[in-house]
């Protein structure tokens, strides 16, 4: 059974860049069946899709965040990463990595990490 | 962008109650809808995809229905483990792939 685990700093200063990594176990990021995605949830608010990456390196980003985010992967480590730059307090959230089904019937998330709280504050 | 509206935002229920949560899309999404259960500090859990397909391992007391713009998640007999927040999510297209605002199911 696949498991995903986020790692990264819990506190980041305003205007800095956030870097998070998701490690996949029990599965491979080189599978063509899935995208590898990031979703976040600000305190007291709903879930927001950030974007995803495919095994071939193709990426998709939420247009509302596209100018500030990038997603990459390291296949040899079964890891994928998220960078968000020019952070503000509005980026404070629990960040989840997730496995997203690809293909014509895809677009939903069948496995998630437990999430990591990132606070943007000086 | 397609907006997803869930109701109610909070629901109080007792063990063994039948519970229904509604999700409405601002435009037709055919059956491209998923439901998730989320407990604090835990990973969200996929319950239903394609509006009514039960994810493997999910108890049969959970069911989904609907198409177009109106969808429901039903728990036929609420169990102690079911107190959580539930989210719908459309995936009609990448453009505006989004979640509902959530429904918290609490103990009455």
């Amino acid at each position: 059974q696949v498991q995903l685990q986020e790692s990264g700093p819990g506190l980041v200063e305003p205007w800095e860049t956030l870097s998070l990594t998701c490690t996949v176990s029990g599965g491979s990021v080189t599978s063509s069946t899935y995208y590898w995605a990031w979703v976040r949830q600000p305190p007291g608010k709903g879930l927001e899709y950030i974007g995803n990456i495919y095994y071939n390196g193709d990426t998709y980003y939420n247009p509302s965040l596209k100018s500030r985010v990038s997603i990459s992967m390291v296949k040899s480590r079964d890891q994928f990463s998220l960078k968000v730059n020019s952070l503000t307090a509005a980026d404070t959230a629990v960040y989840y990595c997730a496995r997203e089904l690809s293909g014509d019937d895809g677009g939903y998330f069948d496995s998630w990490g437990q999430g990591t709280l990132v606070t943007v504050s000086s | 962008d397609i907006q997803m509206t869930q109701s109610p935002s909070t629901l109080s229920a007792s063990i063994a109650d039948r519970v229904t949560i509604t999700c409405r899309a601002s435009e037709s999404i055919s059956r491209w809808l998923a439901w998730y259960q989320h407990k604090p500090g835990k990973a969200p859990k996929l319950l239903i995809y394609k509006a009514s397909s039960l994810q493997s391992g999910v108890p049969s007391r959970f069911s989904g229905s609907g198409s177009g713009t109106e969808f429901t998640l039903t728990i036929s007999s609420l169990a102690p483990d079911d107190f959580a927040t539930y989210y719908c999510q459309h995936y009609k297209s990448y453009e505006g792939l989004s979640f509902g605002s959530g429904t918290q199911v609490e103990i009455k």
Side-chain angles (χ1 to χ4, degrees):
Chain A
Q1 183 175 351
V2 69
Q3 293 188 326
L4 293 85
Q5 180 65 58
E6 305 88 351
S7 58
L11 179 65
V12 190
E13 294 200 356
W15 306 111
E16 295 292 307
T17 296
L18 168 67
S19 294
L20 296 175
T21 295
C22 182
T23 301
V24 178
S25 57
S28 172
V29 298
T30 60
S31 170
S32 61
T33 305
Y34 305 103
Y35 297 103
W36 303 93
W38 291 94
V39 177
R40 70 179 184 179
Q41 184 173 33
K45 296 189 176 182
L47 296 161
E48 180 181 33
Y49 185 61
I50 298 172
N52 69 25
I53 188 166
Y54 199 37
Y55 79 100
N56 63 0
D58 287 348
T59 55
Y60 171 82
Y61 302 120
N62 185 328
S64 68
L65 295 167
K66 188 173 184 177
S67 63
R68 298 196 296 125
V69 304
S70 66
I71 299 174
S72 59
M73 69 170 33
V74 179
K75 294 179 183 178
S76 61
R77 298 179 185 172
D78 279 319
Q79 292 179 334
F80 61 105
S81 298
L82 169 71
K83 290 187 186 297
V84 185
N85 59 38
S86 303
L87 292 169
T88 70
D91 294 307
T92 294
V94 176
Y95 285 76
Y96 298 94
C97 58
R99 188 174 76 172
E100 177 185 343
L101 273 291
S102 66
D104 291 343
D105 286 355
Y108 57 92
F109 308 94
D110 71 342
S111 293
W112 298 67
Q114 289 196 316
T116 186
L117 175 62
V118 176
T119 301
V120 180
S121 175
S122 55
Chain B
D1 290 1
I2 298 173
Q3 305 301 317
M4 307 302 294
T5 303
Q6 274 184 249
S7 61
S9 56
T10 306
L11 186 160
S12 297
S14 301
I15 301 297
D17 279 356
R18 182 181 182 87
V19 167
T20 298
I21 299 169
T22 298
C23 182
R24 289 186 174 88
S26 58
E27 63 183 75
S28 176
I29 57 170
S30 185
R31 293 175 60 80
W32 303 117
L33 186 97
W35 289 98
Y36 302 88
Q37 177 192 69
H38 192 199
K39 298 180 181 180
K42 299 285 188 69
K45 177 183 177 182
L46 174 67
L47 301 174
I48 301 284
Y49 61 95
K50 210 166 184 179
S52 62
S53 296
L54 191 68
Q55 173 69 353
S56 176
V58 174
S60 58
R61 63 180 180 271
F62 290 92
S63 63
S65 64
S67 66
T69 62
E70 187 152 337
F71 302 85
T72 59
L73 173 71
T74 299
I75 309 173
S76 60
S77 179
L78 198 65
D81 192 45
D82 300 339
F83 292 99
T85 300
Y86 293 84
Y87 293 94
C88 61
Q89 176 229 332
H90 90 80
Y91 52 101
K92 177 185 178 183
S93 67
Y94 278 132
E95 187 176 358
L97 189 163
S98 62
F99 296 84
S101 55
T103 295
Q104 184 177 0
V105 177
E106 59 181 29
I107 301 173
K108 190 172 185 179

